[in-house]
Amino acid sequence: MNDTPPGTPEASESVPPPPVRGQVGAQEVLRCVGRQIKILRRRTGLERAELGPAIGYSPSMVAAVELGRRPPQPEFLAAADSVLDAGGLLTCATDLVEQARAAGLAGVPGEPEWLAAWHAYAPATVPELLRTPDYHRAVLRAARPLLDEEEVERRTAALADRAERVLGRRPAPLVTCVLDEAVLHRPYGGPAVLRAQLAHLAELGRLRHVEVQVMPTGTADHAGAEGGAFVLLEPADGRPPVARTGDGERVTVRRAEVRALEQRYAALRAQALSPDESSALVGRRAAAEGTGAA
């Protein structure tokens, strides 16, 4: 009996997804775990229609997991490990699968629906959620390796949609950010683009659920001295917080890693200017860009 769903040739399972900028992608992790489950199931002579009821899941769910389309819950892995006599091979993948699940949760499509709070530290650029489209284009065009214009426009449109869905959602999520002061001076796209970006930051800072703070260049005790940009995401449904680091490709729900970033962010907020002081500084910088002053 062929237990492959109609229209899904088994050969397609071996096609690797595009590489994710030097890291193993979440989808490839799920495909690898799914292939292991499939090999173990076939070794024991079970069909998907038999394994599903034996572990308390539907055959369609088994198929989705084996094909890497759905991340298996820890209970799924534990039950499959027992029924397939895997000797811990599947349960030891639980943490890795949870990391893959976190990468999915932190992706663009579902984020506005589950997000309760969004916090970012940005030492080099305005964080994506708070960017104007022109500023975002300029940052993408400065990236290396170079992106083609079609990709730049695709990412810009996707970001604009996501920003609208997050910032305009009701009830509104809490949005906070700590920017290094140097970000207010770096003219991605030129003075006019920077001026519009600064005005946008000032406007966002007047919203009740948005707080923007600036870390002065003269601050000697800087909690962000080691490590780069990061974003902390707090789910609204009781799930553990998620952290994104660097360019956003590294996603984790490991409590020790997230807690360390939470502590760093708390220190950064304490060291930065207050939201009111920051708003005044951003306004002065926008005015300076308008007059061409340094």
Side-chain angles (χ1 to χ4, degrees), residues 252-265:
T252 184
V253 291
R254 290 192 176 97
R255 192 67 194 111
E257 295 181 24
V258 175
R259 186 182 297 114
L261 291 175
E262 288 174 335
Q263 293 174 351
R264 185 181 304 170
Y265 190 65

Side-chain angles (χ1 to χ4, degrees), residues 146-159:
L146 292 171
L147 299 172
D148 60 47
E149 280 302 303
E150 182 178 348
E151 179 65 11
V152 169
E153 290 304 320
R154 185 192 69 78
R155 294 192 187 187
T156 300
L159 177 63

Side-chain angles (χ1 to χ4, degrees), residues 50-65:
E50 297 171 308
L51 177 59
I55 63 175
Y57 290 85
S58 68
S60 62
M61 181 63 182
V62 174
V65 169

Side-chain angles (χ1 to χ4, degrees), residues 108 111-112 115 117-120 122 125-133 135-136 158-168 173-177 197 200-201 204 207 209-210 212 231-233 244:
V108 171
E111 185 175 295
L115 190 64
W118 179 96
H119 311 289
T125 64
V126 174
E128 288 190 355
L129 194 63
L130 308 183
R131 292 176 184 174
T132 65
Y135 183 92
H136 188 57
L159 177 63
D161 176 68
R162 173 172 164 245
E164 173 63 27
R165 290 187 296 130
V166 173
L167 296 171
L174 174 64
V175 173
T176 74
C177 175
Q197 175 62 69
H200 182 61
L201 277 179
L204 289 175
L207 299 176
H209 64 290
V210 178
V212 177
V231 175
L232 296 168
L233 306 170
R244 290 202 304 244

Side-chain angles (χ1 to χ4, degrees), residues 208-274:
R208 292 181 57 197
H209 64 290
V210 178
E211 294 183 357
V212 177
Q213 293 179 253
V214 177
M215 178 70 73
T217 302
T219 299
D221 187 16
H222 193 323
E226 292 188 357
F230 60 86
V231 175
L232 296 168
L233 306 170
E234 296 181 16
D237 57 4
R239 286 180 295 199
V242 178
R244 290 202 304 244
T245 58
D247 58 6
E249 299 293 351
R250 173 75 168 88
V251 182
T252 184
V253 291
R254 290 192 176 97
R255 192 67 194 111
E257 295 181 24
V258 175
R259 186 182 297 114
L261 291 175
E262 288 174 335
Q263 293 174 351
R264 185 181 304 170
Y265 190 65
L268 286 166
R269 294 199 72 185
Q271 294 165 350
L273 298 176
S274 71

